[in-house]
Amino acid sequence: MSRPSLLALVLATAVTWPVSGQAATSPADVAAAALRNAPVWDGHNDVPEQLRERRQDILAGFDFADTMNTADPENGKGPMQTDLARLREGKVGAQFWSVYVSAMLNEQQAVQATLEQIDVMKRIIAAHPDEMMYATSSAEVEAARKAGKIASLIGMEGGHSIGSSLGVVRQMYELGARYLTLTHFKNTPWADSATDAPEHDGMTDFGKDLVGEMQRIGMLVDLSHVSPKTMADALDVARAPVIFSHSGAQGVDGHPRNVPDAILDRIKTNGGIVMVNFYPSYVSEDLRQWQASRLGEAARLKSLYPNAPETAEAGMESWISAHPKPVATVAQIADHVEYIAKRIGTDYIGLGGDFDGGSVGVEGMPDVSAYPALFTELARRGFAQDDLEKISSRNMMRVLKAAEAYAGAHAEDPAIESPTAF
């Protein structure tokens, strides 16, 4: 029996929601019309991480309707960037909630911690039935939107969370996880990270089997955080669209967490999506270079004055005064979107803000309420309403439907097996 091609799956699952309303004129009008028709589907938000770090997953007394009073100055934490009020203000209609746990945990600890993160996010969703709806499929996302609720999906950030076990990834899918980021800032035993010394020249055979098994069951393969060789290896074996849940364009900011041009080109062929990230040093090349120079100057001063730390500290203050820290801006986020659009088109772009996980300090994008500002900037640059609707959520819907279609076509395929570790 012949299987449908990847291109056929992508085309067959293209979203054709109706466009309503009168033609808009000003950039703000264009943005507002786009977000009415296709509210934002964000690829990555770290509220579960905040609940773990700030509250040890204790929800008693926690008010997700308004988190503006959650600052903890003694521990260097500002207020959370996400709550129900600001999600509404930001026109967010669907959200992948990241169940990230530290990559410093061993694999068995990471599996347990991930289960706890899935649990706490499910409890948050269940506690707000008038505002949020748990979703595990494209159909459930559509149902949530029709009900006027925020579709809430779960994504796993970091392959250490599966304990190098295909059985565990299958069970995480059963628990509701709909994507897995293959690495975090460290390598896994089977894949290289973008921010660690290479160990595997990309992916091992197990890693490639994992990609195949994830796509067989319908779990999205997320290539944010992985090395370019891991990206290429995953794309070599992928038979359904992949995602970057929160990454920018390396052609705009050279950080290794961003996507190189050669991989962008392959995303177009694959039918996947790059969900542009708002993390400041991934957004602004000037800021990235400044941070590197600051670290270099600090090391130089420490070497010069090992016996006089106060002199080194004064020298550092003088250097910072002479070299003001650049500030990442909403316009620079738009630069990433525009770069990818010019390179491969608007059909392969989404947004993955990384709020409550590191996207702090971008001028014009303080929290989840600010998505309309980005869409207004894009409209000002000439992005049409139809393209803005693709970027906001239609592209992500297409990708998820294509992944589901592929899994449906392979539902009778046997599970890929690997020996247990112990």
Side-chain angles (χ1 to χ4, degrees):
M1 177 179 175
S2 62
R3 301 291 190 189
S5 67
L6 172 58
L7 180 59
L9 286 170
V10 170
L11 294 176
T13 54
V15 179
T16 57
W17 300 336
V19 175
S20 60
Q22 297 179 343
T25 51
S26 73
D29 288 341
V30 173
L35 293 174
R36 279 195 303 272
N37 286 337
V40 171
W41 185 339
D42 182 87
H44 195 92
N45 183 296
D46 278 297
V47 158
E49 178 187 357
Q50 296 301 316
L51 294 173
R52 189 173 189 85
E53 291 185 356
R54 295 172 187 250
R55 303 182 61 86
Q56 293 75 54
D57 290 343
I58 302 299
L59 297 184
F62 177 68
D63 181 11
F64 196 42
D66 181 359
T67 64
M68 292 294 289
N69 64 346
T70 56
D72 183 7
E74 289 185 4
N75 292 304
K77 291 183 178 294
M80 288 176 62
Q81 295 174 290
T82 310
D83 55 36
L84 293 174
R86 284 178 285 172
L87 286 166
R88 289 299 188 191
E89 187 178 351
K91 312 303 179 187
V92 177
Q95 181 67 66
F96 275 110
W97 302 103
S98 169
V99 291
Y100 162 79
V101 298
S102 172
M104 300 302 292
L105 299 175
N106 68 44
E107 288 192 318
Q108 282 66 48
Q109 291 171 328
V111 171
Q112 175 181 330
T114 300
L115 293 172
E116 292 167 348
Q117 294 302 86
I118 291 173
D119 170 77
V120 76
M121 199 62 228
K122 284 185 174 181
R123 288 189 286 129
I124 280 281
I125 297 164
H128 299 88
D130 293 336
E131 296 283 342
M132 306 174 78
M133 183 180 291
Y134 179 58
T136 61
S137 67
S138 60
E140 290 175 354
V141 172
E142 290 172 333
R145 287 184 171 174
K146 288 179 181 177
K149 300 179 183 182
I150 299 167
S152 294
L153 306 95
I154 291 173
M156 296 170 61
E157 184 178 24
H160 56 295
S161 293
I162 66 164
S164 296
S165 167
L166 298 181
V168 170
V169 82
R170 285 189 287 266
Q171 293 310 303
M172 292 295 189
Y173 180 86
E174 292 298 320
L175 289 173
R178 287 301 176 264
Y179 75 63
L180 172 67
T181 316
L182 298 185
T183 70
H184 197 252
F185 74 89
K186 291 177 62 178
N187 300 335
T188 66
W190 39 268
D192 288 336
S193 167
T195 49
D196 200 355
E199 293 181 60
H200 313 297
D201 189 30
M203 300 186 80
T204 67
D205 289 342
F206 174 87
K208 295 172 185 178
D209 282 346
L210 173 65
V211 169
E213 186 66 352
M214 287 172 63
Q215 294 198 323
R216 184 190 71 83
I217 63 177
M219 182 181 281
L220 295 164
V221 175
D222 179 18
L223 301 182
S224 288
H225 280 288
V226 308
S227 72
K229 185 60 166 62
T230 300
M231 297 174 192
D233 285 352
L235 285 164
D236 285 346
V237 297
R239 297 296 178 264
V242 303
I243 71 169
F244 286 85
S245 68
H246 57 310
S247 294
Q250 210 170 84
V252 178
D253 180 316
H255 199 288
R257 268 281 283 105
N258 287 334
V259 187
D261 286 352
I263 299 297
L264 287 178
D265 296 342
R266 295 192 64 179
I267 287 295
K268 181 173 184 177
T269 303
N270 167 265
I273 187 171
V274 177
M275 308 184 87
V276 172
N277 184 240
F278 306 165
Y279 191 85
S281 61
Y282 306 163
V283 168
S284 169
E285 176 66 11
D286 288 344
L287 176 59
R288 187 176 82 96
Q289 293 292 339
W290 180 89
Q291 289 173 332
S293 296
R294 179 179 60 83
L295 289 172
E297 181 64 10
R300 186 184 76 87
L301 291 168
K302 184 177 180 179
S303 176
L304 287 174
Y305 306 107
N307 61 336
E310 67 283 355
T311 302
E313 183 177 347
M316 200 68 234
E317 290 176 358
S318 177
W319 185 90
I320 291 173
S321 178
H323 302 84
K325 181 180 179 180
V327 177
T329 66
V330 67
Q332 290 174 320
I333 297 172
D335 289 344
H336 286 261
V337 174
E338 190 169 27
Y339 183 93
I340 298 169
K342 288 179 177 178
R343 180 87 189 187
I344 60 174
T346 56
D347 291 333
Y348 312 97
I349 307 172
L351 299 173
D354 204 8
F355 285 120
D356 278 310
S359 292
V360 179
V362 176
E363 186 177 88
M365 291 295 291
D367 54 41
V368 296
S369 71
Y371 290 96
L374 174 58
F375 280 86
T376 299
E377 173 64 17
L378 292 171
R380 187 190 66 77
R381 296 184 184 205
F383 282 77
Q385 180 178 330
D386 180 61
D387 289 326
L388 295 179
E389 292 179 14
K390 291 178 183 179
I391 293 166
S392 63
S393 55
R394 296 189 195 280
N395 288 339
M396 187 61 241
M397 180 64 82
R398 170 188 61 77
V399 168
L400 182 55
K401 287 190 172 185
E404 292 169 344
Y406 179 85
H410 292 267
E412 301 302 319
D413 291 2
I416 299 174
E417 296 184 322
S418 64
T420 53
F422 55 89

